[in-house]
Amino acid sequence: VWAWVEGDAPAPIRLSTVERPGVSATVRRLAPRMSTWLLSGDLPREAGRWASLFDSRMRFRLSPLDKLAAVRERQRLGERVLMVGDGLNDAGALAAADVGIAVSDDTACLVPTCDAVVAGRRLADLDLIVDYARRARRVIVLCFVVSLAYNAVGLGLALTGHLTPLATAILMPVSSLTIVGLSVGLMRRVPLPEVAR
């Protein structure tokens, strides 16, 4: 970009992408646990600043279709993809990813192709959000196991005549309350940090 003030010679102005606060630290924390990639529509001149984080896992000058193809290629290789994007040109890739997270600085943002929306200032907490989601998945699996065991025992007792209709009527809501209490209790043991909410 060139700019000039009346009476002076034109002078070049170089524009560069500003890094969101905390992104580098977040990528470093995620890197040991998952393969992190940078897919960008920017020019390759930005590669130098990201090389220490992504090494050769960077692609520049990508169109929306290129980003979509990159996501599908990782999936074709058997990987589950978490896509994080902050522009309209990320919409296709967000929709195709196993989990799509849109980054927005607008509280009225509506991104129908993604699974979640994260405020730009919270992007630095992405690793905490991923950990919380993984914990929630383990709690859900445990609750299913407890529910199946509870119902198997109850059905066995009912078939052998050891449960009266009154006892069954009491135990049915108790099973639901048990699962709700178990899930809430386990998730509150290690709550999502306040900074990431």
Side-chain angles (χ1 to χ4, degrees):
V1 175
W2 289 79
W4 65 90
V5 178
E6 187 175 350
D8 292 332
I13 297 177
R14 182 176 178 180
L15 302 178
S16 61
T17 305
V18 178
E19 178 183 341
R20 290 181 183 272
V23 168
S24 293
T26 301
V27 172
R28 287 190 182 93
R29 291 193 299 268
L30 288 172
R33 295 181 286 165
M34 58 184 67
S35 175
T36 54
W37 287 73
L38 174 63
L39 306 176
S40 175
D42 295 336
L43 298 174
R45 70 185 180 201
E46 299 284 342
R49 66 190 294 191
W50 300 110
S52 62
L53 288 175
F54 297 99
D55 194 26
S56 61
R57 299 180 309 279
M58 297 184 292
R59 302 289 182 270
F60 292 92
R61 284 188 175 173
L62 297 183
S63 69
L65 289 178
D66 293 332
K67 292 182 180 183
L68 174 59
V71 167
R72 287 184 171 158
E73 173 63 16
R74 305 319 303 174
Q75 292 172 327
R76 188 184 67 80
L77 295 173
E79 298 179 10
R80 288 181 294 176
V81 178
L82 166 64
M83 171 73 182
V84 180
D86 63 357
L88 288 175
N89 60 347
D90 297 320
L94 287 170
D98 296 281
V99 178
I101 299 180
V103 180
S104 174
D105 296 308
D106 184 356
T107 55
C109 173
L110 176 61
V111 187
T113 60
C114 68
D115 300 296
V117 178
V118 173
R121 68 184 186 281
R122 304 294 193 197
L123 187 58
D125 301 314
L126 182 61
D127 58 315
L128 301 177
I129 296 170
V130 169
D131 289 342
Y132 191 75
R134 286 178 169 171
R135 179 177 180 80
R137 183 178 183 275
R138 291 194 295 269
V139 168
I140 289 170
V141 171
L142 175 62
C143 287
F144 271 114
V145 170
V146 171
S147 177
L148 288 172
Y150 187 98
N151 283 286
V153 171
L155 184 60
L157 291 174
L159 290 174
T160 56
H162 290 88
L163 283 181
T164 64
L166 177 60
T168 302
I170 294 172
L171 290 176
M172 282 304 294
V174 169
S175 79
S176 298
L177 291 173
T178 300
I179 296 303
V180 171
L182 182 64
S183 59
V184 171
L186 289 175
M187 290 308 296
R188 286 193 174 180
R189 274 190 56 214
V190 183
L192 186 63
E194 186 67 33
V195 70
R197 288 181 183 170

